[in-house]
Amino acid sequence: MIKNGHHAAEEQREEDSVCGTPGGSACSPEKRKRVVRLWCDGCYDMVHYGHSNQLRQAKAMGDYLIVGVHTDAEISKHKGPPVFTQEERYKMVRAIKWVDEIVEGAPYVTTLETLDKYNCDSCVHGDDITLTVDGKDTYAEVKRLGRYRECRRTQGVSTTDLVGRMLLMTKTHHSNMDNPDYQQHTDNFGKGPKGHSPWTGVSQFLQTSQKIIQFASGKEPQPGDTIIYVAGAFDLFHIGHVDFLEMVYKQAERPYVIVGLHFDQEVNRGMYFQPEYPQCSRPDLALLPPFLLYVSEVVIGAPYAVGKDLLDHFRVDLVCHGKTEVFPDKDTSDPYAEPKKRGVFRTVDSANNLTTDDIVQRIIANRLQFEARNQKKEAKEMAVIEAMKRKEQDQSEGAAQPAH
């Protein structure tokens, strides 16, 4: 069990406010229980805004959020191989700002014993269903005992779709929904032989201002803050990006980090990626950096060149870039010429060489396994849906029978 260091002081302040004394020394057991501790668990593989939105909703239900992350072995047993290793997934979840503590190697089936072990009032999960390898609800026990709370699953987001995009790898995969090849990819990754599960499949995410507000920190830079600007594609947001942003955050005592996200067209035209990128659209990614502890603000559709207007508008003190190659702008100029001229440009080494292309290659190398994984998941879900329909039908028929 590992506490998130950024939240340790906040946790103590919460306990002090409940107990009325520093350190809670005079706090009765009854008062201590007022701090609502909640449990979430999952694979958190290829973390997207659906995962972070679940954690955001869960944290809003209580005071302290503990997140259990399953091992590679457990995921492989019940679902199929994960894309990211357990160590990568632990680090990713630990960096999410709504998470107070993580439990490495959490059991795949959530039990009362687990909730009691970590002193959690309830378990929180989305309104979809998670099944074991033999098709059983992983939350059956805590549901039966009244220790289960539900949040809304984020519509329009799917790990299945992300995996499918990587296997399709075309330049127009964001706007090619009518293409037979894309439809074939959705059949392989989100549709089983007996229908379509509402919990698995390809869907199109529509970003709204309310979603952005929910994820944003809402904090303006304060006097004494160092305003740091970074920009990039941040495609398939992964642990390499997290390590980079953490190092950027450490460049100042009081950092205010602004992340600039380039538009799809700019990335897709092959300026600094191969033309089949990005794999994630900007609506996908606009909600990703804000869920990190290290990010204060996001600029959607940031210009490729970091110019005078941008630096002056945001009152930028420092511009950072990683060790990756900097490609020239359309006019062959250096996109960082202005911050270099001002003496505010800095190269930051995250010591993590993971790239989006590395992730794509992981998927492609195990194509058949990932296809089988998603089809198996779909089949289990469809079996549960059919059983639920039959139960509802039997109940309705029973209610319609005349009383004797």
Side-chain angles (χ1 to χ4, degrees):
M1 183 169 64
I2 301 175
K3 287 189 178 182
N4 191 324
H6 290 266
H7 294 297
E10 183 180 338
E11 177 195 359
Q12 186 60 60
R13 284 195 298 271
E14 284 179 357
E15 189 163 301
D16 291 350
S17 67
V18 170
C19 300
T21 58
S25 57
C27 187
S28 67
E30 292 76 21
K31 282 189 175 182
R32 281 186 186 276
K33 201 169 183 179
R34 291 180 191 173
V35 176
V36 178
R37 293 166 62 91
L38 297 173
W39 171 274
C40 285
D41 56 30
C43 307
Y44 301 102
D45 192 27
M46 295 191 69
V47 167
H48 50 63
Y49 47 86
H51 294 123
S52 56
N53 195 33
Q54 179 224 5
L55 298 175
R56 179 191 66 81
Q57 292 179 78
K59 182 61 184 283
M61 294 179 181
D63 305 301
Y64 194 82
L65 180 62
I66 301 176
V67 179
V69 184
H70 309 317
T71 63
D72 295 344
E74 280 281 270
I75 297 171
S76 296
K77 174 184 174 182
H78 293 281
K79 290 181 69 173
V83 177
F84 289 94
T85 69
Q86 59 196 43
E87 294 302 325
E88 290 170 334
R89 292 182 289 106
Y90 297 155
K91 183 181 276 191
M92 176 65 85
V93 174
R94 197 175 294 121
I96 297 175
K97 63 185 177 183
W98 298 292
V99 177
D100 296 296
E101 193 173 315
I102 81 159
V103 173
E104 299 179 357
Y108 199 81
V109 176
T110 307
T111 63
L112 182 64
E113 180 184 0
T114 297
L115 297 189
D116 288 345
K117 179 179 179 180
Y118 297 103
N119 194 27
C120 290
D121 299 271
S122 302
C123 166
V124 180
H125 187 66
D127 53 6
D128 55 341
I129 193 166
T130 303
L131 304 171
T132 63
V133 66
D134 52 0
K136 295 179 180 177
D137 184 352
T138 59
Y139 298 101
E141 180 176 320
V142 291
K143 286 178 179 178
R144 188 177 69 253
L145 297 170
R147 299 279 290 276
Y148 177 85
R149 299 177 70 179
E150 202 162 82
C151 61
R152 293 187 63 183
R153 181 182 183 273
T154 305
Q155 297 299 316
V157 55
S158 171
T159 301
T160 300
D161 185 31
L162 292 176
V163 172
R165 290 180 195 180
M166 285 182 276
L167 285 159
L168 184 61
M169 290 296 287
T170 68
K171 186 171 182 176
T172 55
H173 52 260
H174 297 298
S175 57
N176 217 16
M177 297 299 291
D178 295 327
N179 183 290
D181 290 336
Y182 194 90
Q183 291 173 350
Q184 178 64 38
H185 124 67
T186 58
D187 286 343
N188 285 345
F189 285 88
K191 193 173 182 181
K194 295 185 179 180
H196 181 72
S197 166
W199 305 312
T200 301
V202 177
S203 51
Q204 293 300 293
F205 172 67
L206 296 176
Q207 183 193 92
T208 66
S209 59
Q210 182 61 31
K211 286 188 177 77
I212 295 173
I213 290 168
Q214 288 172 339
F215 276 60
S217 70
K219 297 178 181 178
E220 295 287 335
Q222 301 300 311
D225 287 352
T226 300
I227 301 175
I228 308 175
Y229 180 78
V230 298
F234 294 98
D235 198 20
L236 284 176
F237 198 78
H238 55 72
I239 195 61
H241 297 132
V242 172
D243 284 341
F244 168 67
L245 291 170
E246 181 181 12
M247 289 302 298
V248 168
Y249 186 86
K250 291 178 178 179
Q251 299 303 303
E253 186 174 338
R254 290 179 50 182
Y256 186 93
V257 179
I258 301 174
V259 174
L261 289 175
H262 300 317
F263 275 136
D264 284 352
Q265 296 89 335
E266 194 156 309
V267 180
N268 199 219
R269 68 185 170 85
M271 177 181 290
Y272 51 98
F273 278 118
Q274 295 95 330
E276 61 267 21
Y277 291 96
Q279 288 294 312
C280 289
S281 65
R282 299 307 94 178
D284 289 352
L285 286 171
L287 300 181
L288 286 175
F291 75 59
L292 291 182
L293 291 163
Y294 317 117
V295 178
S296 300
E297 184 62 281
V298 173
V299 179
I300 303 169
Y304 184 64
V306 183
K308 178 180 183 301
D309 290 345
L310 186 148
L311 295 175
D312 292 344
H313 177 78
F314 291 109
R315 305 192 304 278
V316 174
D317 300 303
L318 181 64
V319 176
C320 293
H321 188 272
K323 300 279 282 187
T324 56
E325 183 179 358
V326 177
F327 288 85
D329 203 351
K330 286 180 286 188
D331 61 0
T332 72
S333 64
D334 181 354
Y336 291 100
E338 183 63 24
K340 288 177 180 177
K341 185 173 74 173
R342 298 188 184 195
V344 297
F345 178 82
R346 185 178 300 173
T347 299
V348 174
D349 185 2
S350 69
N352 188 327
N353 296 321
L354 183 69
T355 67
T356 298
D357 194 54
D358 293 334
I359 299 166
V360 171
Q361 294 308 315
R362 290 183 188 184
I363 296 289
I364 292 174
N366 297 285
R367 177 182 183 113
L368 294 178
Q369 290 185 62
F370 285 112
E371 286 184 348
R373 180 188 74 171
N374 285 284
Q375 289 174 357
K376 182 171 67 174
K377 179 175 183 287
E378 179 89 5
K380 287 192 296 182
E381 290 172 355
M382 287 305 302
V384 171
I385 290 170
E386 290 301 318
M388 290 167 64
K389 286 180 179 177
R390 286 195 299 271
K391 184 177 180 181
E392 288 176 5
Q393 186 176 357
D394 292 343
Q395 289 174 342
S396 62
E397 289 176 354
Q401 293 291 330
H404 294 287

PDB file of all heavy atoms in Angstrom, residues 309-332:
ATOM      1  N   ASP A 309       3.717  36.124 -28.813  1.00  0.00           N
ATOM      2  CA  ASP A 309       2.350  36.332 -28.323  1.00  0.00           C
ATOM      3  C   ASP A 309       1.989  35.317 -27.244  1.00  0.00           C
ATOM      4  O   ASP A 309       1.390  35.671 -26.220  1.00  0.00           O
ATOM      5  CB  ASP A 309       1.352  36.241 -29.478  1.00  0.00           C
ATOM      6  CG  ASP A 309       1.464  37.419 -30.426  1.00  0.00           C
ATOM      7  OD1 ASP A 309       2.094  38.430 -30.036  1.00  0.00           O
ATOM      8  OD2 ASP A 309       0.935  37.328 -31.555  1.00  0.00           O
ATOM      9  N   LEU A 310       2.325  34.047 -27.473  1.00  0.00           N
ATOM     10  CA  LEU A 310       2.005  33.011 -26.500  1.00  0.00           C
ATOM     11  C   LEU A 310       2.756  33.250 -25.187  1.00  0.00           C
ATOM     12  O   LEU A 310       2.161  33.177 -24.099  1.00  0.00           O
ATOM     13  CB  LEU A 310       2.345  31.638 -27.075  1.00  0.00           C
ATOM     14  CG  LEU A 310       1.939  30.417 -26.233  1.00  0.00           C
ATOM     15  CD1 LEU A 310       1.579  29.241 -27.133  1.00  0.00           C
ATOM     16  CD2 LEU A 310       3.038  29.983 -25.269  1.00  0.00           C
ATOM     17  N   LEU A 311       4.041  33.532 -25.289  1.00  0.00           N
ATOM     18  CA  LEU A 311       4.851  33.748 -24.082  1.00  0.00           C
ATOM     19  C   LEU A 311       4.342  34.931 -23.273  1.00  0.00           C
ATOM     20  O   LEU A 311       4.265  34.882 -22.037  1.00  0.00           O
ATOM     21  CB  LEU A 311       6.311  33.953 -24.464  1.00  0.00           C
ATOM     22  CG  LEU A 311       7.021  32.751 -25.110  1.00  0.00           C
ATOM     23  CD1 LEU A 311       8.429  33.140 -25.544  1.00  0.00           C
ATOM     24  CD2 LEU A 311       7.081  31.572 -24.147  1.00  0.00           C
ATOM     25  N   ASP A 312       3.977  36.004 -23.973  1.00  0.00           N
ATOM     26  CA  ASP A 312       3.511  37.205 -23.271  1.00  0.00           C
ATOM     27  C   ASP A 312       2.112  37.008 -22.688  1.00  0.00           C
ATOM     28  O   ASP A 312       1.823  37.452 -21.566  1.00  0.00           O
ATOM     29  CB  ASP A 312       3.496  38.408 -24.227  1.00  0.00           C
ATOM     30  CG  ASP A 312       4.900  38.847 -24.638  1.00  0.00           C
ATOM     31  OD1 ASP A 312       5.865  38.429 -23.955  1.00  0.00           O
ATOM     32  OD2 ASP A 312       5.025  39.575 -25.636  1.00  0.00           O
ATOM     33  N   HIS A 313       1.239  36.336 -23.442  1.00  0.00           N
ATOM     34  CA  HIS A 313      -0.139  36.145 -22.982  1.00  0.00           C
ATOM     35  C   HIS A 313      -0.194  35.339 -21.685  1.00  0.00           C
ATOM     36  O   HIS A 313      -0.956  35.682 -20.759  1.00  0.00           O
ATOM     37  CB  HIS A 313      -0.950  35.433 -24.069  1.00  0.00           C
ATOM     38  CG  HIS A 313      -2.363  35.136 -23.663  1.00  0.00           C
ATOM     39  ND1 HIS A 313      -3.349  36.100 -23.667  1.00  0.00           N
ATOM     40  CD2 HIS A 313      -2.958  33.985 -23.221  1.00  0.00           C
ATOM     41  CE1 HIS A 313      -4.485  35.568 -23.250  1.00  0.00           C
ATOM     42  NE2 HIS A 313      -4.277  34.282 -22.977  1.00  0.00           N
ATOM     43  N   PHE A 314       0.588  34.271 -21.618  1.00  0.00           N
ATOM     44  CA  PHE A 314       0.572  33.420 -20.429  1.00  0.00           C
ATOM     45  C   PHE A 314       1.644  33.801 -19.406  1.00  0.00           C
ATOM     46  O   PHE A 314       1.776  33.144 -18.374  1.00  0.00           O
ATOM     47  CB  PHE A 314       0.740  31.948 -20.834  1.00  0.00           C
ATOM     48  CG  PHE A 314      -0.445  31.387 -21.573  1.00  0.00           C
ATOM     49  CD1 PHE A 314      -0.360  31.112 -22.930  1.00  0.00           C
ATOM     50  CD2 PHE A 314      -1.643  31.155 -20.923  1.00  0.00           C
ATOM     51  CE1 PHE A 314      -1.448  30.598 -23.625  1.00  0.00           C
ATOM     52  CE2 PHE A 314      -2.742  30.632 -21.606  1.00  0.00           C
ATOM     53  CZ  PHE A 314      -2.651  30.367 -22.965  1.00  0.00           C
ATOM     54  N   ARG A 315       2.405  34.853 -19.692  1.00  0.00           N
ATOM     55  CA  ARG A 315       3.475  35.331 -18.794  1.00  0.00           C
ATOM     56  C   ARG A 315       4.421  34.180 -18.435  1.00  0.00           C
ATOM     57  O   ARG A 315       4.721  33.924 -17.259  1.00  0.00           O
ATOM     58  CB  ARG A 315       2.883  35.976 -17.542  1.00  0.00           C
ATOM     59  CG  ARG A 315       1.903  37.088 -17.846  1.00  0.00           C
ATOM     60  CD  ARG A 315       1.546  37.894 -16.605  1.00  0.00           C
ATOM     61  NE  ARG A 315       1.016  37.077 -15.528  1.00  0.00           N
ATOM     62  CZ  ARG A 315      -0.241  36.679 -15.426  1.00  0.00           C
ATOM     63  NH1 ARG A 315      -1.106  37.038 -16.368  1.00  0.00           N
ATOM     64  NH2 ARG A 315      -0.653  35.943 -14.418  1.00  0.00           N
ATOM     65  N   VAL A 316       4.882  33.496 -19.462  1.00  0.00           N
ATOM     66  CA  VAL A 316       5.681  32.282 -19.282  1.00  0.00           C
ATOM     67  C   VAL A 316       7.086  32.633 -18.783  1.00  0.00           C
ATOM     68  O   VAL A 316       7.771  33.492 -19.335  1.00  0.00           O
ATOM     69  CB  VAL A 316       5.768  31.490 -20.601  1.00  0.00           C
ATOM     70  CG1 VAL A 316       6.708  30.305 -20.465  1.00  0.00           C
ATOM     71  CG2 VAL A 316       4.369  31.026 -21.033  1.00  0.00           C
ATOM     72  N   ASP A 317       7.518  31.939 -17.723  1.00  0.00           N
ATOM     73  CA  ASP A 317       8.853  32.120 -17.161  1.00  0.00           C
ATOM     74  C   ASP A 317       9.853  31.112 -17.717  1.00  0.00           C
ATOM     75  O   ASP A 317      11.060  31.379 -17.760  1.00  0.00           O
ATOM     76  CB  ASP A 317       8.813  31.970 -15.628  1.00  0.00           C
ATOM     77  CG  ASP A 317       7.897  32.979 -14.963  1.00  0.00           C
ATOM     78  OD1 ASP A 317       8.116  34.188 -15.160  1.00  0.00           O
ATOM     79  OD2 ASP A 317       6.946  32.545 -14.273  1.00  0.00           O
ATOM     80  N   LEU A 318       9.350  29.940 -18.105  1.00  0.00           N
ATOM     81  CA  LEU A 318      10.238  28.868 -18.534  1.00  0.00           C
ATOM     82  C   LEU A 318       9.531  27.996 -19.563  1.00  0.00           C
ATOM     83  O   LEU A 318       8.352  27.657 -19.394  1.00  0.00           O
ATOM     84  CB  LEU A 318      10.645  28.013 -17.324  1.00  0.00           C
ATOM     85  CG  LEU A 318      11.597  26.840 -17.548  1.00  0.00           C
ATOM     86  CD1 LEU A 318      12.960  27.343 -18.024  1.00  0.00           C
ATOM     87  CD2 LEU A 318      11.749  26.034 -16.254  1.00  0.00           C
ATOM     88  N   VAL A 319      10.248  27.644 -20.633  1.00  0.00           N
ATOM     89  CA  VAL A 319       9.725  26.726 -21.652  1.00  0.00           C
ATOM     90  C   VAL A 319      10.585  25.468 -21.638  1.00  0.00           C
ATOM     91  O   VAL A 319      11.815  25.557 -21.724  1.00  0.00           O
ATOM     92  CB  VAL A 319       9.747  27.364 -23.056  1.00  0.00           C
ATOM     93  CG1 VAL A 319       9.299  26.345 -24.110  1.00  0.00           C
ATOM     94  CG2 VAL A 319       8.858  28.599 -23.101  1.00  0.00           C
ATOM     95  N   CYS A 320       9.936  24.308 -21.517  1.00  0.00           N
ATOM     96  CA  CYS A 320      10.683  23.046 -21.445  1.00  0.00           C
ATOM     97  C   CYS A 320      10.339  22.145 -22.631  1.00  0.00           C
ATOM     98  O   CYS A 320       9.227  22.158 -23.150  1.00  0.00           O
ATOM     99  CB  CYS A 320      10.354  22.312 -20.145  1.00  0.00           C
ATOM    100  SG  CYS A 320      10.929  23.147 -18.654  1.00  0.00           S
ATOM    101  N   HIS A 321      11.310  21.355 -23.016  1.00  0.00           N
ATOM    102  CA  HIS A 321      11.131  20.339 -24.056  1.00  0.00           C
ATOM    103  C   HIS A 321      11.952  19.129 -23.659  1.00  0.00           C
ATOM    104  O   HIS A 321      12.966  19.247 -22.980  1.00  0.00           O
ATOM    105  CB  HIS A 321      11.581  20.864 -25.421  1.00  0.00           C
ATOM    106  CG  HIS A 321      11.245  19.946 -26.554  1.00  0.00           C
ATOM    107  ND1 HIS A 321      12.083  18.923 -26.966  1.00  0.00           N
ATOM    108  CD2 HIS A 321      10.152  19.881 -27.350  1.00  0.00           C
ATOM    109  CE1 HIS A 321      11.505  18.274 -27.973  1.00  0.00           C
ATOM    110  NE2 HIS A 321      10.338  18.830 -28.216  1.00  0.00           N
ATOM    111  N   GLY A 322      11.497  17.941 -24.062  1.00  0.00           N
ATOM    112  CA  GLY A 322      12.219  16.719 -23.717  1.00  0.00           C
ATOM    113  C   GLY A 322      13.445  16.506 -24.586  1.00  0.00           C
ATOM    114  O   GLY A 322      13.871  17.394 -25.331  1.00  0.00           O
ATOM    115  N   LYS A 323      13.988  15.308 -24.521  1.00  0.00           N
ATOM    116  CA  LYS A 323      15.206  14.981 -25.270  1.00  0.00           C
ATOM    117  C   LYS A 323      14.904  14.565 -26.709  1.00  0.00           C
ATOM    118  O   LYS A 323      15.822  14.309 -27.483  1.00  0.00           O
ATOM    119  CB  LYS A 323      15.941  13.840 -24.562  1.00  0.00           C
ATOM    120  CG  LYS A 323      16.370  14.164 -23.136  1.00  0.00           C
ATOM    121  CD  LYS A 323      17.645  14.966 -23.092  1.00  0.00           C
ATOM    122  CE  LYS A 323      18.846  14.078 -23.335  1.00  0.00           C
ATOM    123  NZ  LYS A 323      20.119  14.777 -23.147  1.00  0.00           N
ATOM    124  N   THR A 324      13.599  14.484 -27.051  1.00  0.00           N
ATOM    125  CA  THR A 324      13.256  14.095 -28.423  1.00  0.00           C
ATOM    126  C   THR A 324      13.652  15.195 -29.403  1.00  0.00           C
ATOM    127  O   THR A 324      13.777  16.366 -29.040  1.00  0.00           O
ATOM    128  CB  THR A 324      11.743  13.827 -28.549  1.00  0.00           C
ATOM    129  OG1 THR A 324      11.027  14.990 -28.112  1.00  0.00           O
ATOM    130  CG2 THR A 324      11.331  12.632 -27.726  1.00  0.00           C
ATOM    131  N   GLU A 325      13.819  14.790 -30.665  1.00  0.00           N
ATOM    132  CA  GLU A 325      14.257  15.728 -31.701  1.00  0.00           C
ATOM    133  C   GLU A 325      13.224  16.823 -31.928  1.00  0.00           C
ATOM    134  O   GLU A 325      12.019  16.565 -31.944  1.00  0.00           O
ATOM    135  CB  GLU A 325      14.491  14.966 -33.009  1.00  0.00           C
ATOM    136  CG  GLU A 325      15.022  15.822 -34.146  1.00  0.00           C
ATOM    137  CD  GLU A 325      15.258  15.024 -35.419  1.00  0.00           C
ATOM    138  OE1 GLU A 325      15.032  13.799 -35.385  1.00  0.00           O
ATOM    139  OE2 GLU A 325      15.658  15.633 -36.430  1.00  0.00           O
ATOM    140  N   VAL A 326      13.695  18.057 -32.101  1.00  0.00           N
ATOM    141  CA  VAL A 326      12.819  19.182 -32.419  1.00  0.00           C
ATOM    142  C   VAL A 326      12.848  19.398 -33.933  1.00  0.00           C
ATOM    143  O   VAL A 326      13.882  19.742 -34.502  1.00  0.00           O
ATOM    144  CB  VAL A 326      13.267  20.470 -31.693  1.00  0.00           C
ATOM    145  CG1 VAL A 326      12.382  21.643 -32.115  1.00  0.00           C
ATOM    146  CG2 VAL A 326      13.235  20.280 -30.189  1.00  0.00           C
ATOM    147  N   PHE A 327      11.703  19.197 -34.583  1.00  0.00           N
ATOM    148  CA  PHE A 327      11.624  19.369 -36.030  1.00  0.00           C
ATOM    149  C   PHE A 327      11.306  20.822 -36.361  1.00  0.00           C
ATOM    150  O   PHE A 327      10.584  21.496 -35.615  1.00  0.00           O
ATOM    151  CB  PHE A 327      10.559  18.453 -36.623  1.00  0.00           C
ATOM    152  CG  PHE A 327      10.958  17.009 -36.629  1.00  0.00           C
ATOM    153  CD1 PHE A 327      10.748  16.207 -35.512  1.00  0.00           C
ATOM    154  CD2 PHE A 327      11.557  16.446 -37.747  1.00  0.00           C
ATOM    155  CE1 PHE A 327      11.130  14.879 -35.511  1.00  0.00           C
ATOM    156  CE2 PHE A 327      11.946  15.114 -37.756  1.00  0.00           C
ATOM    157  CZ  PHE A 327      11.736  14.323 -36.637  1.00  0.00           C
ATOM    158  N   PRO A 328      11.816  21.332 -37.466  1.00  0.00           N
ATOM    159  CA  PRO A 328      11.560  22.730 -37.829  1.00  0.00           C
ATOM    160  C   PRO A 328      10.098  22.979 -38.179  1.00  0.00           C
ATOM    161  O   PRO A 328       9.363  22.049 -38.528  1.00  0.00           O
ATOM    162  CB  PRO A 328      12.458  22.944 -39.055  1.00  0.00           C
ATOM    163  CG  PRO A 328      12.716  21.583 -39.601  1.00  0.00           C
ATOM    164  CD  PRO A 328      12.700  20.655 -38.425  1.00  0.00           C
ATOM    165  N   ASP A 329       9.683  24.233 -38.091  1.00  0.00           N
ATOM    166  CA  ASP A 329       8.336  24.639 -38.449  1.00  0.00           C
ATOM    167  C   ASP A 329       8.172  24.569 -39.971  1.00  0.00           C
ATOM    168  O   ASP A 329       9.128  24.294 -40.707  1.00  0.00           O
ATOM    169  CB  ASP A 329       8.079  26.055 -37.932  1.00  0.00           C
ATOM    170  CG  ASP A 329       6.589  26.337 -37.757  1.00  0.00           C
ATOM    171  OD1 ASP A 329       5.769  25.512 -38.185  1.00  0.00           O
ATOM    172  OD2 ASP A 329       6.252  27.403 -37.197  1.00  0.00           O
ATOM    173  N   LYS A 330       6.966  24.885 -40.472  1.00  0.00           N
ATOM    174  CA  LYS A 330       6.693  24.821 -41.914  1.00  0.00           C
ATOM    175  C   LYS A 330       7.647  25.705 -42.718  1.00  0.00           C
ATOM    176  O   LYS A 330       8.003  25.370 -43.841  1.00  0.00           O
ATOM    177  CB  LYS A 330       5.244  25.241 -42.180  1.00  0.00           C
ATOM    178  CG  LYS A 330       4.216  24.191 -41.777  1.00  0.00           C
ATOM    179  CD  LYS A 330       2.807  24.650 -42.068  1.00  0.00           C
ATOM    180  CE  LYS A 330       2.363  25.714 -41.080  1.00  0.00           C
ATOM    181  NZ  LYS A 330       0.918  26.052 -41.235  1.00  0.00           N
ATOM    182  N   ASP A 331       8.038  26.837 -42.126  1.00  0.00           N
ATOM    183  CA  ASP A 331       8.948  27.756 -42.829  1.00  0.00           C
ATOM    184  C   ASP A 331      10.414  27.450 -42.539  1.00  0.00           C
ATOM    185  O   ASP A 331      11.291  28.283 -42.786  1.00  0.00           O
ATOM    186  CB  ASP A 331       8.628  29.204 -42.467  1.00  0.00           C
ATOM    187  CG  ASP A 331       8.790  29.478 -40.969  1.00  0.00           C
ATOM    188  OD1 ASP A 331       9.160  28.531 -40.233  1.00  0.00           O
ATOM    189  OD2 ASP A 331       8.539  30.613 -40.544  1.00  0.00           O
ATOM    190  N   THR A 332      10.679  26.274 -41.996  1.00  0.00           N
ATOM    191  CA  THR A 332      12.013  25.763 -41.647  1.00  0.00           C
ATOM    192  C   THR A 332      12.645  26.461 -40.448  1.00  0.00           C
ATOM    193  O   THR A 332      13.800  26.195 -40.118  1.00  0.00           O
ATOM    194  CB  THR A 332      12.996  25.839 -42.846  1.00  0.00           C
ATOM    195  OG1 THR A 332      13.350  27.205 -43.090  1.00  0.00           O
ATOM    196  CG2 THR A 332      12.410  25.201 -44.103  1.00  0.00           C
TER     197      THR A 332
END
